[in-house]
Amino acid sequence: MNSFYLRNFLRLNDFQKKDILFLIKYAQKLKFKKLIQQEKQKLKKKNIVLIFEKESTRTRCSFETALFDQGAKVTYLNSKDIHLGYKESIEDTAFTLGKIYDGIVYRGHQHKNIEKLAKYSKIPVWNGLTKSFHPTQILSDIFTIKEIFIQKKIKNIKISYIGDSKNNISNTLIEAANLLNFNLSLISPKKYLPNTKFLNSHNITINKKLNNILFTDNIKTGIYKADIIYTDVWISMGEDSNKIQEKIFLLKNYQVNKKILKLSDNPFVKVFHCLPALHDKKTIFGKKVIQKFNLKNGVEITDEVFQSNKKIIFQQSSNRVHLVKALIICSLIKNINF
Ligand code: CP
Ligand code: NVA
């Protein structure tokens, strides 16, 4: 039996290194099978519901495509379609859905909500992002890293994440670094670095013995010898807009630009972004922020850096399909032979 069978996938901490590596290997195989048009449908009789309380492009589309490819039936619900949390408790919604569906994909606000959904539905629940964690994103990123760095072991990779280090992406990177033992630097102004109170409130522990995770506000120290510079939006979905002013002011110097890339002292350094990215004035929000805060050529990343790294950035997002396909098959099918 595989380790994901009939289990929830809420955060990486619930799994072991061997489980994660197995899933990625299986995703690699599924990617290849799709490419050569030899994919076999394993989820034909399965019904899956997607509940998205926040907007999404990649996560919704990758889950839906993976499920369609595998022959499953899908229901998509946004927060206006259901009673959840307003006229019906999470418990009652979970009980109902658990009797109808084989699995639930959930994107929402507080992590405790997805825990409740999982507890009461008694069917596998997959995390499509909460305020605290975004595990399918980071696993797809590990998958992408394995494709790009063919010669290098994951434990020898250094990821320098720069920007807001108190969000779902940085939290999940910490959990991934704990499991896979790669070097991780989280680089932010002090206010946006995780402190003990923050880590405790998310039940995140750091394996100090490994000595592979660094929190720093010093850009030079954090970026030096990075293989990958990773960034994310400075303002996450659902964040209090009243705090934007101070936050952007503090993060201004932590923009991924050419100068920062040079600090890596690695001419082959790669740039990752989970997307969506504010790298130009082609979005309403991006334009507003760039003008209001007098930023240069982008918000968290400059257009120049984005354009020269976009092949990899879009590889990250398209790999989401294969990774979540592997995850759902493993969660619903007992024995996986490949
Ligand atoms: N990276 C990611 O999860 O993108 P979406 O918000 O578009 O799903
Ligand atoms: N931190 C971002 C990730 C988007 C994929 C957010 O939560 O909005």
Side-chain angles (χ1 to χ4, degrees):
M1 191 169 80
N2 82 78
S3 318
F4 293 89
Y5 185 58
L6 295 185
R7 278 180 71 189
N8 300 306
F9 183 78
L10 308 187
R11 56 190 289 182
L12 299 184
N13 205 24
D14 299 335
F15 295 88
Q16 291 178 9
K17 183 178 175 179
K18 65 172 178 36
D19 306 329
I20 302 301
L21 296 179
F22 171 84
L23 198 69
I24 288 170
K25 219 170 174 182
Y26 189 38
Q28 280 165 342
K29 186 202 161 171
L30 290 169
K31 183 174 181 175
F32 178 66
K33 287 283 178 193
K34 182 166 174 158
L35 186 77
I36 60 168
Q37 298 184 352
Q38 281 187 15
E39 184 167 354
K40 288 204 180 88
Q41 292 192 325
K42 290 189 164 65
L43 301 176
K44 269 186 192 156
K45 298 246 163 72
K46 304 295 182 190
N47 291 296
I48 306 298
V49 59
L50 277 73
I51 304 173
F52 276 56
E53 297 183 317
K54 291 173 173 174
E55 59 271 31
S56 167
T57 303
R58 280 143 289 273
T59 307
R60 175 184 175 178
C61 297
S62 58
F63 270 104
E64 286 197 358
T65 307
L67 289 162
F68 292 146
D69 282 351
Q70 282 293 310
K73 302 279 187 300
V74 175
T75 305
Y76 175 81
L77 300 168
N78 68 35
S79 52
K80 290 197 187 83
D81 293 324
I82 46 171
H83 306 291
L84 182 69
Y86 181 62
K87 267 171 86 182
E88 186 166 58
S89 64
I90 298 176
E91 288 88 331
D92 289 356
T93 302
F95 269 127
T96 307
L97 297 178
K99 299 270 180 276
I100 299 175
Y101 290 96
D102 298 291
I104 302 172
V105 180
Y106 176 77
R107 166 170 285 200
H109 298 277
Q110 303 305 327
H111 195 73
K112 66 177 183 336
N113 293 352
I114 198 172
E115 288 174 342
K116 257 193 202 167
L117 203 55
K119 181 172 173 196
Y120 293 102
S121 68
K122 301 207 183 326
I123 53 173
V125 174
W126 302 286
N127 185 351
L129 178 147
T130 60
K131 193 179 165 202
S132 308
F133 299 103
H134 195 6
T136 62
Q137 175 68 53
I138 300 305
L139 283 199
S140 303
D141 297 337
I142 305 293
F143 175 15
T144 307
I145 291 171
K146 283 184 159 284
E147 287 182 329
I148 299 169
F149 295 91
I150 303 165
Q151 310 283 11
K152 213 165 178 172
K153 288 203 167 121
I154 188 86
K155 68 176 173 59
N156 296 327
I157 297 279
K158 174 173 174 176
I159 300 180
S160 296
Y161 170 93
I162 180 163
D164 177 11
S165 298
K166 275 184 167 169
N167 75 11
N168 39 23
I169 294 293
S170 52
N171 287 347
T172 315
L173 278 170
I174 296 177
E175 294 209 332
N178 277 337
L179 277 177
L180 302 174
N181 200 4
F182 58 81
N183 286 295
L184 175 68
S185 293
L186 297 183
I187 312 153
S188 308
K190 283 200 174 70
K191 184 164 182 193
Y192 295 103
L193 281 175
N195 50 25
T196 312
K197 191 174 155 215
F198 176 87
L199 293 170
N200 287 345
S201 67
H202 290 80
N203 289 322
I204 299 173
T205 42
I206 289 174
N207 187 345
K208 292 221 169 89
K209 272 193 223 144
L210 295 177
N211 197 22
N212 61 332
I213 301 177
L214 173 77
F215 300 156
T216 180
D217 63 343
N218 186 314
I219 301 175
K220 212 170 161 186
T221 311
I223 294 284
Y224 187 64
K225 291 295 172 201
D227 295 292
I228 296 164
I229 296 176
Y230 197 136
T231 193
D232 180 18
V233 289
W234 290 345
I235 311 295
S236 285
M237 290 179 272
E239 255 192 84
D240 183 356
S241 55
N242 293 326
K243 292 188 181 149
I244 289 179
Q245 186 104 0
E246 191 208 349
K247 192 171 187 185
I248 296 185
F249 182 73
L250 288 175
L251 283 165
K252 236 176 150 174
N253 294 330
Y254 292 75
Q255 181 196 57
V256 176
N257 51 36
K258 259 179 118 179
K259 218 171 83 195
I260 291 222
L261 259 56
K262 273 208 187 101
L263 294 177
S264 71
D265 195 30
N266 173 6
F268 305 108
V269 67
K270 312 280 185 251
V271 175
F272 273 33
H273 195 307
C274 57
L275 299 177
L278 296 176
H279 58 90
D280 56 26
K281 290 187 191 159
K282 290 181 191 162
T283 62
I284 297 167
F285 187 61
K287 188 174 174 182
K288 209 165 96 184
V289 173
I290 290 169
Q291 283 170 347
K292 187 166 176 197
F293 296 93
N294 196 20
L295 296 168
K296 286 203 179 69
N297 315 315
V299 182
E300 73 277 2
I301 182 168
T302 62
D303 196 42
E304 186 183 23
V305 171
F306 184 86
Q307 295 304 339
S308 52
N309 286 277
K310 72 177 176 197
K311 185 172 173 280
I312 288 178
I313 292 173
F314 289 110
Q315 188 175 339
Q316 276 178 274
S317 60
S318 60
N319 275 339
R320 303 279 308 273
V321 175
H322 316 292
L323 190 281
V324 299
K325 192 182 283 176
L327 173 64
I328 296 191
I329 296 175
C330 288
S331 308
L332 298 181
I333 309 288
K334 201 171 189 173
N335 294 313
I336 306 289
N337 302 313
F338 71 96

Coordinates of all heavy atoms in Angstrom, one line a residue, residues 68 82 103 105 116 125 129 148 213 215 240 258 280 293 297 299 332:
F68 N -9.6 15.4 -15.1 CA -10.2 15.1 -16.4 C -9.4 14.1 -17.1 O -9.9 13.1 -17.7 CB -10.3 16.4 -17.3 CG -11.3 17.4 -16.8 CD1 -11.1 18.7 -16.9 CD2 -12.5 17.0 -16.1 CE1 -12.0 19.7 -16.4 CE2 -13.4 17.9 -15.7 CZ -13.2 19.3 -15.8
I82 N -21.8 27.9 -2.2 CA -22.1 27.0 -1.1 C -22.4 27.8 0.2 O -22.0 29.0 0.4 CB -21.0 26.0 -0.8 CG1 -19.6 26.6 -0.8 CG2 -21.1 24.9 -1.8 CD1 -18.6 25.7 -0.3
G103 N -13.3 12.6 -2.7 CA -12.2 13.5 -2.3 C -12.5 15.0 -2.4 O -13.4 15.3 -3.2
V105 N -10.8 18.9 -2.8 CA -9.7 19.9 -2.9 C -10.2 21.2 -2.3 O -11.3 21.6 -2.6 CB -9.3 20.1 -4.4 CG1 -8.2 21.1 -4.5 CG2 -9.0 18.9 -5.2
K116 N -10.6 20.8 9.9 CA -11.9 20.4 10.3 C -12.6 19.7 9.1 O -13.3 18.7 9.3 CB -12.8 21.7 10.6 CG -13.0 22.0 12.0 CD -14.0 23.0 12.2 CE -13.9 23.7 13.5 NZ -14.7 24.9 13.6
V125 N -8.7 14.9 1.8 CA -8.8 16.3 1.5 C -7.4 16.8 1.1 O -6.4 16.5 1.8 CB -9.3 17.1 2.8 CG1 -9.2 18.6 2.5 CG2 -10.7 16.7 3.1
L129 N -4.1 25.4 -1.0 CA -3.6 26.6 -0.4 C -4.5 27.1 0.7 O -5.7 27.1 0.6 CB -3.5 27.8 -1.4 CG -3.0 29.1 -1.0 CD1 -2.2 29.9 -2.1 CD2 -4.1 30.1 -0.5
I148 N 15.6 20.3 -13.5 CA 16.6 21.2 -13.9 C 18.0 20.9 -13.4 O 19.0 21.0 -14.2 CB 16.3 22.6 -13.3 CG1 14.9 23.1 -13.9 CG2 17.3 23.7 -13.7 CD1 14.4 24.3 -13.1
I213 N 18.7 25.7 7.7 CA 17.8 26.8 7.5 C 18.3 28.1 8.2 O 18.7 28.0 9.4 CB 16.4 26.4 8.0 CG1 15.9 25.1 7.3 CG2 15.4 27.5 7.8 CD1 14.5 24.6 7.8
F215 N 17.4 32.3 8.8 CA 16.5 33.4 8.6 C 17.4 34.6 8.7 O 18.2 34.8 9.7 CB 15.5 33.5 9.8 CG 14.6 32.3 9.9 CD1 14.0 32.0 11.2 CD2 14.3 31.5 8.8 CE1 13.1 30.9 11.3 CE2 13.4 30.4 8.9 CZ 12.9 30.1 10.2
D240 N -4.9 41.9 4.9 CA -5.5 43.2 5.3 C -4.9 44.4 4.5 O -3.7 44.6 4.6 CB -5.2 43.4 6.8 CG -5.8 44.6 7.4 OD1 -6.4 45.4 6.6 OD2 -5.7 44.9 8.6
K258 N 18.4 42.5 -11.0 CA 19.7 42.1 -11.4 C 20.8 42.2 -10.4 O 21.7 41.3 -10.3 CB 20.1 42.9 -12.7 CG 19.8 42.1 -14.0 CD 20.2 43.0 -15.1 CE 21.3 42.3 -16.0 NZ 21.6 43.2 -17.1
D280 N 5.2 43.8 -13.9 CA 5.1 45.0 -14.8 C 3.8 45.7 -14.5 O 3.1 45.4 -13.5 CB 5.1 44.5 -16.3 CG 4.0 43.4 -16.6 OD1 3.0 43.4 -15.9 OD2 4.2 42.6 -17.5
F293 N 4.2 53.4 -4.9 CA 5.4 53.3 -4.1 C 6.7 53.6 -4.9 O 7.8 53.3 -4.4 CB 5.4 51.9 -3.5 CG 4.3 51.6 -2.6 CD1 3.1 51.1 -3.0 CD2 4.4 52.0 -1.2 CE1 2.0 50.9 -2.2 CE2 3.3 51.8 -0.4 CZ 2.1 51.2 -0.8
N297 N 10.4 49.0 -12.2 CA 10.2 47.9 -13.2 C 9.6 46.6 -12.6 O 9.9 45.5 -13.0 CB 11.6 47.5 -13.8 CG 12.4 48.7 -14.2 OD1 11.8 49.6 -14.9 ND2 13.7 48.8 -13.9
V299 N 7.2 44.8 -9.0 CA 7.0 44.9 -7.5 C 8.0 43.9 -6.9 O 9.1 44.3 -6.7 CB 5.5 44.6 -7.1 CG1 5.3 44.7 -5.6 CG2 4.6 45.5 -7.9
L332 N -6.2 7.7 -3.8 CA -7.4 7.0 -4.0 C -7.2 5.5 -4.5 O -8.2 4.7 -4.5 CB -8.3 7.7 -5.0 CG -8.8 9.1 -4.6 CD1 -9.7 9.8 -5.6 CD2 -9.5 9.1 -3.2

